Amino acid sequence: METTATTATIGVQAMMLKDSFSEIGAFETLRKVSAIGYNAVEISQIPMTPENVAELDRSRTELGMDIAALSVAMETPKGRPGDSLAEHFDKIVDDAKRLDSRLLRIGMLPFPAMKSLGAVIDFAKQANEYAERLAEHGIGLYYHNHHIEFAKFDGKYMLDIIAENSPAMGMEIDVHWVQRGGLDPVRTLQKYAGRTAMVHLKDYRIGELPESAFGLLDSGDIMGFMTEFKNVVQFAEVGEGNLDFPSIIDAAQAAGAEYLLVEQDELYGRTVWEALQTSYDNLVAMGHAQLF
């Protein structure tokens, strides 16, 4: 597939901000995001209530915030609220148009869809139908990977199976989860060039064993120590881990990505604002100030 290098915009994945959204509201949260220097946000795990949608709209006009993308599920999971394409298609389209968001993303395939090759294919084909319907409204649908998509069925990665069976759906590549899945982020971005509109910038760090872990070892709690040992694989602020972000950002832009979204699933005692500031500072130091 032909690709055209783009000048992407660096923004924030709002999953990190869900506590702030619930505490001080969407607008005041995004005011703080804007004050750091980010001017784009991908909405995730935020209820799309009339109040939140109105505040997101206000952030566009008053803060110049680009609502880069919205998150959707195909079906509302049991026990969890939220809009789904199956039940709220028209509302999702209306919200996207009001917020000038041309991109929607599915954060993960439903857990039952992971159980077999046939289940994966069924999910992908259903997603493709929604992608085709959304395209009629000028909206693109994209799929976000974790590590599970690099499990193999009959020697083929789950992500490739999804991609092959949903040609109308694009990709949102999360480089941390690619690395955790055992693949190279740059090569993966090259592989999906031309259909990757969004990339999650999330570093991969091997942390230090806490002192308490050695206390567990001394007390003979080997299982407790091994739990801590496994937990040294961490999420990290961009530039604080081991991923080669200069190469990743070059590859993402070469692949045609429109948005590069900073995300960190766990903060290890830091505040979300400290983490976002560190990622911002490191990306500026890498020479990417013009992408904000």
Side-chain angles (χ1 to χ4, degrees):
M1 188 179 291
E2 274 191 30
T3 60
T4 304
T6 61
T7 300
T9 298
I10 297 176
V12 173
Q13 216 285 350
M15 177 276 292
M16 299 177 68
L17 302 164
K18 60 187 176 184
D19 290 341
S20 180
F21 271 75
S22 64
E23 289 164 11
I24 63 173
F27 182 81
E28 291 303 327
T29 296
L30 294 180
R31 190 204 295 274
K32 295 179 75 169
V33 170
S34 179
I36 295 173
Y38 299 94
N39 297 297
V41 63
E42 175 179 88
I43 302 303
S44 176
Q45 299 187 30
I46 309 300
M48 293 298 281
T49 61
E51 295 78 15
N52 277 343
V53 173
E55 288 200 25
L56 292 174
D57 197 16
R58 180 184 169 204
S59 77
R60 295 175 58 237
T61 55
E62 295 188 26
L63 303 173
M65 187 63 63
D66 182 353
I67 311 300
L70 305 178
S71 298
V72 295
M74 290 204 310
E75 297 179 1
T76 304
K78 289 180 181 177
R80 292 177 60 186
D83 296 341
S84 69
L85 291 167
E87 299 172 48
H88 311 96
F89 186 90
D90 291 340
K91 178 190 181 296
I92 288 168
V93 169
D94 288 345
D95 288 346
K97 289 186 175 180
R98 178 176 178 182
L99 299 174
D100 195 26
S101 299
R102 296 174 293 99
L103 310 175
L104 299 180
R105 39 94 61 180
I106 295 172
M108 186 190 294
L109 77 169
F111 293 133
M114 303 173 185
K115 65 184 178 182
S116 68
L117 174 60
V120 174
I121 291 172
D122 287 346
F123 160 78
K125 289 185 173 178
Q126 187 179 359
N128 194 67
E129 291 176 6
Y130 284 119
E132 290 175 343
R133 285 178 62 190
L134 288 164
E136 295 172 5
H137 297 275
I139 298 170
L141 183 64
Y142 295 81
Y143 182 80
H144 167 269
N145 69 279
H146 289 80
H147 54 3
I148 190 68
E149 290 84 1
F150 300 105
K152 289 181 178 178
F153 289 102
D154 295 339
K156 185 176 289 188
Y157 294 124
M158 186 193 296
L159 192 62
D160 289 340
I161 295 165
I162 292 170
E164 288 172 10
N165 287 280
S166 58
M169 181 167 64
M171 292 287 159
E172 178 177 56
I173 298 298
D174 186 311
V175 297
H176 172 99
W177 287 114
V178 171
Q179 183 76 23
R180 198 173 282 209
L183 279 75
D184 174 57
V186 169
R187 289 188 181 183
T188 302
L189 287 164
Q190 292 168 344
K191 179 176 184 176
Y192 289 109
R195 65 184 296 181
T196 300
M198 298 164 284
V199 174
H200 279 186
L201 304 184
K202 178 193 304 178
D203 217 334
Y204 183 106
R205 174 175 60 213
I206 303 300
E208 293 184 19
L209 277 164
E211 193 171 328
S212 58
F214 296 98
L216 294 170
L217 191 64
D218 292 341
S219 70
D221 186 355
I222 302 301
M223 293 303 293
F225 175 83
M226 290 308 299
T227 297
E228 295 289 355
F229 182 82
K230 291 175 184 176
N231 286 341
V232 298
V233 177
Q234 296 180 353
F235 305 97
E237 299 84 354
V238 176
E240 297 296 310
N242 296 334
L243 295 186
D244 179 3
F245 275 99
S247 296
I248 286 169
I249 291 172
D250 285 348
Q253 294 195 92
E258 298 176 47
Y259 293 100
L260 312 176
L261 300 153
V262 172
E263 183 185 34
Q264 189 175 344
D265 296 42
E266 295 181 36
L267 300 172
Y268 311 101
R270 302 194 78 200
T271 70
V272 66
W273 308 111
E274 291 168 339
L276 286 173
Q277 186 70 58
T278 296
S279 289
Y280 177 87
D281 292 344
N282 288 345
L283 284 161
V284 169
M286 290 176 202
H288 298 301
Q290 78 282 3
L291 300 184
F292 286 95

